[in-house]
Amino acid sequence: MARVLVLGGSGFIGRHVVTYLHDNKAAAHVLVADKVPYAIASLSENQLAIFKNEDFLTFKQADLKNPASVDAVFEHAGGKWDYVINLAAVTKYSQAKEVYDANIVAVSTACAAAAQKFGVKRYIEVSTAQVYAAKNKLNAEDAPLKPWTGIGIASLEAENAVKAVSGLDYCIVRPAIVYGTSDILGMTPRLIVGSIYKETGEKMESLYSKDLRFNTVHVTDVAKALWFLCENGKSGEIYNLADKGDTDQGKVNKILEEIFGIKTGFLGTLKMAAASKMGTKFLVGLANDQHLKPFSDACKKYGILDTPLTPYLDEELIKETPTAVDGSKIEGLGFKYDVQGPTAANCKEVLDDFVKKGYFPKEMY
């Protein structure tokens, strides 16, 4: 069996990759390298048990911005890694360019160079579908590129750095919006917003229209796909990941109605036109003023005093920018998505997980 190095393995997607490798007996040994110690990464009980299994997994704390640290990681625990999956990247939005250059571009550049230097069989670079031009038409891998977030801009630069490493066997992966247990930045803010309207009893009115695409892929399918591409991907190719649900804002709102028993809708044409004239910063303030304090008050009411969850909608994400992704190319290699899109059931799993960790009040859904 293979030896696998998971960079950024304590994070949202990384922990699911590690779980997939363990549960499917896919790897002889896994090395997780992350600057966040797994003991404070809010893993589930099952994930924590896997990370503590020293026969299966070794953990090394490392800041991968430093090339010397990268080499030390690749040589750690005997080295000789067959596959490297790079999930080490900053995920917060609206950061300075210098932050993204250091934590995305520099990390990918150093890790790809090390993968070639140490003779890795295949290197998987996990990018983002935010590199595509923001249009409400499904983007295949050859669609025009026009990144619309700071993360997207840096991820595209990182992709090019990986491509530039001579002799490297690699695949690049561009997921749509990833959701599932431990997600904080994908689908979860919308779930939090829905819970606020259950608490207040008011109707939830969303920006833009029900047809604005919000394409998704479940994190367990991402983990499955990354391993699949280690063994079956074609070197030098790019693969999107997106389920068949073709989720849009209307479908998301229907899920929120089912989970929280609320009424939803969209701002009327006149209201939306008036709000749009005020600019994006006004829209950010309008949305967040309606949600931040009510969520904080509800958490205090139900005894939740410390939580990483927030209904905050970042300025980069509040623009009328669809996520529209054609994830079918990987299916041509024989891959099958197990989860066909977000449902009330699999979104409740996310909330149940946060309740168990003490981050979300069970009374709010």
Side-chain angles (χ1 to χ4, degrees):
M1 287 194 293
R3 289 170 57 80
V4 184
L5 170 54
V6 183
L7 305 171
S10 294
F12 164 43
I13 297 176
R15 65 189 62 185
H16 285 276
V17 170
V18 170
T19 301
Y20 182 87
L21 295 174
H22 175 270
D23 291 353
N24 289 276
K25 297 180 172 57
H29 198 77
V30 171
L31 172 62
V32 169
D34 203 306
K35 63 184 177 183
V36 178
Y38 71 83
I40 61 171
S42 298
L43 302 180
S44 70
E45 291 180 3
N46 178 59
Q47 291 163 348
L48 189 59
I50 292 171
F51 273 66
K52 286 181 175 180
N53 181 353
E54 295 181 358
D55 291 333
F56 171 74
L57 185 144
T58 301
F59 179 84
K60 181 172 178 60
Q61 187 175 9
D63 186 347
L64 297 170
K65 297 194 299 294
N66 184 341
S69 295
V70 173
D71 278 5
V73 165
F74 275 74
E75 292 176 316
H76 193 68
K80 298 180 181 178
W81 305 106
D82 297 298
Y83 303 115
V84 175
I85 300 172
N86 182 22
L87 290 154
V90 66
T91 55
K92 291 183 179 179
Y93 290 95
S94 296
Q95 303 296 297
K97 181 180 184 299
E98 292 77 14
V99 174
Y100 293 131
D101 286 346
N103 292 280
I104 296 178
V105 182
V107 168
S108 293
T109 301
C111 291
Q116 194 281 327
K117 174 182 175 181
F118 289 100
V120 169
K121 287 182 181 179
R122 172 154 294 166
Y123 175 86
I124 305 291
E125 175 74 9
V126 181
S127 182
T128 172
Q130 292 169 5
V131 300
Y132 295 117
K135 58 181 183 178
N136 211 31
K137 178 182 178 182
L138 294 182
N139 289 287
E141 288 80 356
D142 58 355
L145 301 176
K146 189 177 180 181
W148 48 275
T149 63
I151 290 174
I153 292 169
S155 295
L156 183 56
E157 189 174 341
E159 288 185 18
N160 291 330
V162 171
K163 293 176 183 178
V165 177
S166 178
L168 178 66
D169 185 308
Y170 71 88
C171 293
I172 292 170
V173 183
R174 295 172 178 165
I177 296 163
V178 185
Y179 72 103
T181 55
S182 297
D183 160 43
I184 290 177
L185 297 172
M187 184 86 166
T188 297
R190 294 181 182 242
L191 298 176
I192 302 303
V193 169
S195 74
I196 293 167
Y197 286 91
K198 177 184 184 298
E199 185 71 8
T200 64
E202 298 175 0
K203 180 181 179 180
M204 188 186 93
E205 290 189 307
S206 303
L207 297 173
Y208 310 119
S209 72
K210 66 181 180 62
D211 298 319
L212 188 71
R213 278 189 162 109
F214 188 82
N215 286 178
T216 57
V217 59
H218 196 276
V219 68
T220 56
D221 274 334
V222 175
K224 177 183 176 182
L226 295 180
W227 178 243
F228 177 88
L229 290 172
C230 283
E231 296 192 307
N232 301 286
K234 294 182 180 179
S235 182
E237 290 289 306
I238 296 170
Y239 297 94
N240 291 339
L241 296 179
D243 59 47
K244 296 298 185 184
D246 196 16
T247 305
D248 56 28
Q249 289 203 130
K251 291 179 181 178
V252 171
N253 279 11
K254 291 295 183 185
I255 290 171
L256 300 182
E257 290 177 354
E258 185 175 347
I259 294 174
F260 300 109
I262 61 174
K263 293 182 178 180
T264 71
F266 292 85
L267 289 179
T269 304
L270 292 177
K271 283 185 180 179
M272 195 64 238
S276 296
K277 285 182 181 179
M278 301 296 289
T280 305
K281 288 188 182 298
F282 173 79
L283 292 175
V284 170
L286 176 67
N288 291 323
D289 286 349
Q290 290 177 322
H291 304 142
L292 289 175
K293 189 175 186 304
F295 182 63
S296 176
D297 290 345
C299 284
K300 291 176 184 176
K301 174 182 174 182
Y302 296 118
I304 305 294
L305 303 180
D306 184 24
T307 178
L309 305 180
T310 176
Y312 180 79
L313 297 174
D314 192 273
E315 184 175 350
E316 286 190 305
L317 300 180
I318 211 167
K319 299 174 184 176
E320 193 174 2
T321 45
T323 300
V325 184
D326 180 350
S328 63
K329 177 179 175 179
I330 190 174
E331 293 179 301
L333 300 178
F335 179 78
K336 295 185 184 300
Y337 293 96
D338 293 328
V339 185
Q340 297 307 308
T343 63
N346 60 34
C347 287
K348 280 183 178 180
E349 289 176 358
V350 176
L351 297 175
D352 290 343
D353 180 61
F354 285 130
V355 168
K356 193 171 184 179
K357 292 173 180 175
Y359 292 150
F360 186 77
K362 64 180 182 299
E363 294 87 354
M364 291 185 71
Y365 72 107

